[in-house]
Amino acid sequence: METWGFEASNVAVAQVRIEQQLVEAATRAGLTNLRVTTDSEVETIGPTQWLGAEVQANLLWTPTFAFLDALAAWPEGFRVTGFQYEMQPLTPLQQEAGMTAPTGSVRIGVAFPVILPPTAAAPAAAGAGS
């Protein structure tokens, strides 16, 4: 596990690397109306540093699970920190137009192990106790 994770010189570089890979994976999976955000601080659990992110998109089950399957194949590893979905019933107008599936949105919280130099994560940790 010592080499498990995204290696970066600082938190900002780790954020960009993770965000880019999430956008690529979500786009390939077919998620639409995509929004990806990353946390600004690293969380330390035991010997591992974690950087969180959230992926929001339209709720489409096949692309959502294709996206999660893609994450599972990443060698860096990850953990799911949240999964929420909201479905909106079809309006009468949508039903008249022939739509059969309800619309909605999905929010997937994930965290990735990061390997940062000791000084890269220190400012965030110092600021948290002030």
Side-chain angles (χ1 to χ4, degrees):
M1 280 183 53
E2 290 179 15
T3 59
W4 185 46
F6 284 88
E7 194 166 344
S9 59
N10 59 48
V11 174
V13 171
Q15 288 173 303
V16 169
R17 290 190 60 212
I18 290 169
E19 185 174 335
Q20 286 175 337
Q21 285 193 236
L22 285 171
V23 168
E24 288 174 16
T27 301
R28 277 194 306 273
L31 290 176
T32 58
N33 197 23
L34 180 64
R35 192 173 112 199
V36 176
T37 56
T38 55
D39 292 346
S40 60
E41 294 187 22
V42 172
E43 177 184 19
T44 301
I45 301 175
T48 307
Q49 295 178 307
W50 296 88
L51 186 60
E54 184 176 82
V55 176
Q56 297 178 37
N58 288 342
L59 178 61
L60 302 167
W61 290 116
T62 299
T64 296
F65 290 117
F67 170 70
L68 290 171
D69 285 343
L71 289 185
W74 288 10
E76 293 85 5
F78 77 104
R79 63 187 170 95
V80 174
T81 59
F83 186 93
Q84 294 178 303
Y85 68 93
E86 182 179 299
M87 296 180 72
Q88 298 149 350
L90 293 176
T91 65
L93 186 58
Q94 290 171 320
Q95 290 173 350
E96 285 178 26
M99 290 182 69
T100 57
T103 59
S105 60
V106 64
R107 297 175 95 164
I108 304 168
V110 287
F112 300 93
V114 292
I115 302 167
L116 301 169
T119 57
S130 300

